[in-house]
């Protein structure tokens, strides 16, 4: 479903960042590589993880291994960086989240942060995207990213960055500032309905596997 969603929406590269787990991202990357080897189209997968820290959620991109959750933001960022990964701060101004890095903390952690999300597609608090953009405009030096925050395939690509082809983390960082952030919020109701449908289909599949 994810490959099909990427193909339909013209998403060439997608970061898979599950909450506190990484196996799915590795599996998707493996399957994608196998499909390409067979001559089929598949998106490029950036293996990542959205890690819950004591100071809110922090994403790692280009990870080689799992990053433990519930550490401090600094510890988490250091673990991500020690793997050669990039530190990506998602939905930075989602004021509805009690635990999050404040603007002053983002500035203080500038040396450890590689990318800040300028647009998040999840319709929690639309104002958050306005505040994120304003922060990025006022604080040059943080490349802007975009995340669909899609928890199911239909909203994949709701937010994305249009940019040059890149190879690896350093190249991405170099080219990202010349990219263009695109994004729209998706409907929370439609999203919930799709998730219910997927859950039902999964259960039916599991039942079929058990009975066969
Ligand atoms: Zn999040």
């Amino acid at each position: 479903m994810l490959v099909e969603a990427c193909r339909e929406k013209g998403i060439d590269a997608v970061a898979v960042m599950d909450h506190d787990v990484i196996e799915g991202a590795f599996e998707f990357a493996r399957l994608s590589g196998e499909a390409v080897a067979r001559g089929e189209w598949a998106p490029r997968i950036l293996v990542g993880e959205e890690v819950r820290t004591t100071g809110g959620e922090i994403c790692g991109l280009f990870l080689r291994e799992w990053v433990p959750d519930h550490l401090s933001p600094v510890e988490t960022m250091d673990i991500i960086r020690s793997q050669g990964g990039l530190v990506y701060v998602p939905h930075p101004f989602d004021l509805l989240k009690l635990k999050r890095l404040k603007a002053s903390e983002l500035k203080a952690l500038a040396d450890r942060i590689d990318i800040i999300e300028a647009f998040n597609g999840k319709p929690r608090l639309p104002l958050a995207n306005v505040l994120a953009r304003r922060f990025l405009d006022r604080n040059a030096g943080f490349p802007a990213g975009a995340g669909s925050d899609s928890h199911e395939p239909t909203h994949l690509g709701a937010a994305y960055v249009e940019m040059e082809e890149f190879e690896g983390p350093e190249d991405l960082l170099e080219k990202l500032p010349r990219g263009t952030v695109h994004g729209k919020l998706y409907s929370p109701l439609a999203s919930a309905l799709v998730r219910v449908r997927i859950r039902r289909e999964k259960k039916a599949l599991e039942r079929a596997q058990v009975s066969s």
Side-chain angles (χ1 to χ4, degrees):
M1 289 173 88
L2 288 168
V3 169
E4 212 33 62
C6 289
R7 196 204 319 261
E8 266 172 31
K9 291 167 189 181
I11 303 290
D12 300 306
V14 61
V16 179
M17 301 194 280
D18 288 335
H19 287 285
D20 302 332
V21 292
I22 200 167
E23 290 77 12
F26 280 129
E27 191 187 348
F28 197 176
R30 180 178 58 77
L31 292 172
S32 180
E34 285 172 8
V36 170
R38 285 196 303 271
E40 294 167 19
W41 185 89
R44 175 132 50 102
I45 309 304
L46 278 58
V47 172
E49 179 185 332
E50 182 167 1
V51 189
R52 286 189 179 90
T53 78
T54 55
E57 290 159 336
I58 292 169
C59 293
L61 276 172
F62 296 99
L63 295 180
R64 280 194 260 271
E65 52 189 72
W66 177 69
V67 178
D69 48 291
H70 291 91
L71 300 176
S72 74
V74 167
E75 283 172 302
T76 307
M77 290 175 181
D78 287 348
I79 293 173
I80 292 168
R81 299 180 74 88
S82 72
Q83 299 184 24
L86 300 181
V87 173
Y88 178 107
V89 179
H91 41 68
F93 291 87
D94 187 340
L95 309 176
L96 299 177
K97 286 187 190 285
L98 293 178
K99 281 187 191 167
R100 59 184 181 85
L101 295 174
K102 311 285 177 308
S104 57
E105 292 170 297
L106 293 175
K107 283 186 231 174
L109 291 167
D111 288 351
R112 288 181 166 90
I113 296 173
D114 296 298
I115 303 168
I116 290 185
E117 193 169 77
F119 196 99
N120 183 285
K122 201 173 180 181
R124 268 171 63 88
L125 181 73
L127 171 70
N129 286 331
V130 177
L131 296 176
R133 176 45 79 189
R134 191 190 296 166
F135 175 86
L136 287 163
D137 287 345
R138 287 178 184 172
N139 294 277
F142 290 114
S148 64
D149 209 336
S150 173
H151 287 60
E152 37 81 7
T154 49
H155 300 304
L156 207 149
Y160 60 93
V161 182
E162 194 176 356
M163 63 177 291
E164 296 162 67
E165 188 68 47
F166 60 89
E167 203 56 67
E170 290 83 23
D171 197 32
L172 169 65
L173 267 194
E174 196 225 302
K175 290 170 177 167
L176 192 58
R178 297 194 293 277
T180 314
V181 169
H182 298 268
K184 57 179 188 316
L185 298 175
Y186 46 80
S187 147
L189 180 67
S191 184
L193 289 175
V194 174
R195 284 160 81 171
V196 169
R197 182 171 63 78
I198 290 175
R199 213 170 297 146
R200 215 179 283 149
E201 284 174 8
K202 252 188 183 165
K203 283 223 178 88
L205 205 68
E206 281 163 11
R207 271 199 300 274
Q209 280 167 344
V210 168
S211 62
S212 68

